[in-house]
């Protein structure tokens, strides 16, 4: 048991030399810190913030769109599981167009993380992954079919945007393939959940009531 643990740690450390892995460690650390901070926030204070956004959306929708963009942009730089709740709420407040705003935020944050994770030599990565044959095969297929691999990453509900971006850069998916795949499929989840939110009669959080 101890030997297996030591081996796993050694493998992890060997992979952590790659830019995408280093960026992933930073993203994870920031996400944990953000979750700890959010856990310390009084729920009533959080609901007051949501109520404020509700008021802004009614009086100044353009400002609400900017708030959505800024919040989503920061959110997509982490792995915090709040993207779906966010877009359902803003879909309720602003309608399906909110999904397109979040999609734009996703593009910007994704390209930043992708660029931060670039720099891995494909041959070196494959050599490190030789001890994980299944993962190595996935990496080779992803690099050879970058657009489709990115589309799949964008459509799988449980894969955070940050993970999709860093996975693409780790497996040396080209910038053009990554951007194309993101443009083709990255809008689906935000727009779908925004449309779902717009169909609701009540906000999904804090009991805002009907608009």
């Amino acid at each position: 048991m101890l030997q297996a643990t030591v081996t796993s740690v050694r493998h992890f450390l060997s992979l952590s030399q790659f830019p995408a892995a280093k960026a992933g460690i930073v993203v994870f650390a920031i996400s944990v810190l953000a979750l700890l901070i959010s856990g310390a926030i009084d729920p009533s204070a959080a609901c007051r913030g949501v109520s404020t956004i509700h008021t802004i959306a009614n009086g100044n929708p353009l400002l609400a769109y900017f708030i959505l963009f800024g919040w989503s942009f920061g959110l997509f730089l982490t792995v915090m599981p709040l993207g779906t709740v966010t877009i359902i709420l803003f879909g309720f407040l602003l309608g399906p167009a909110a999904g397109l705003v979040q999609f734009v935020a996703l593009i910007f944050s994704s390209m930043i993380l992708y660029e931060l994770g670039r720099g891995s030599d494909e041959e070196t990565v494959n050599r490190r992954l030789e001890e994980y044959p299944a993962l190595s095969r996935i990496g080779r297929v992803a690099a050879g079919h970058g657009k489709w691999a990115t589309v799949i990453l964008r459509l799988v509900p449980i894969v955070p945007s940050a993970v999709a971006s860093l996975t693409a850069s780790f497996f040396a998916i080209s910038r053009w393939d990554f951007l194309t795949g993101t443009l083709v499929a990255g809008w689906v989840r935000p727009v779908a959940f925004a449309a779902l939110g717009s169909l609701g009669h009540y906000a999904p959080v804090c009991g805002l009531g009907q608009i």
Side-chain angles (χ1 to χ4, degrees), residues 69-93:
F69 176 85
W71 171 256
S72 297
F73 175 79
L75 199 62
F76 288 140
L77 293 175
T78 74
V79 292
M80 293 181 66
L82 297 176
T84 299
V85 171
T86 294
I87 196 55
I88 290 177
L89 173 63
F90 276 90
F92 171 76
L93 297 174

Side-chain angles (χ1 to χ4, degrees), residues 86 165 180:
T86 294
S165 303
T180 301

Side-chain angles (χ1 to χ4, degrees), residues 45-60:
C47 283
R48 285 195 297 272
V50 172
S51 296
T52 300
I53 295 174
H54 182 188
T55 303
I56 292 172
N58 285 332
N60 191 346

Side-chain angles (χ1 to χ4, degrees), residues 4-29:
T5 302
V6 171
T7 301
S8 297
V9 171
R10 188 171 67 250
H11 289 329
F12 173 78
L13 292 176
S14 69
L15 292 175
S16 67
Q17 67 176 294
F18 299 110
K22 292 178 181 178
I25 292 171
V26 173
V27 166
F28 180 76

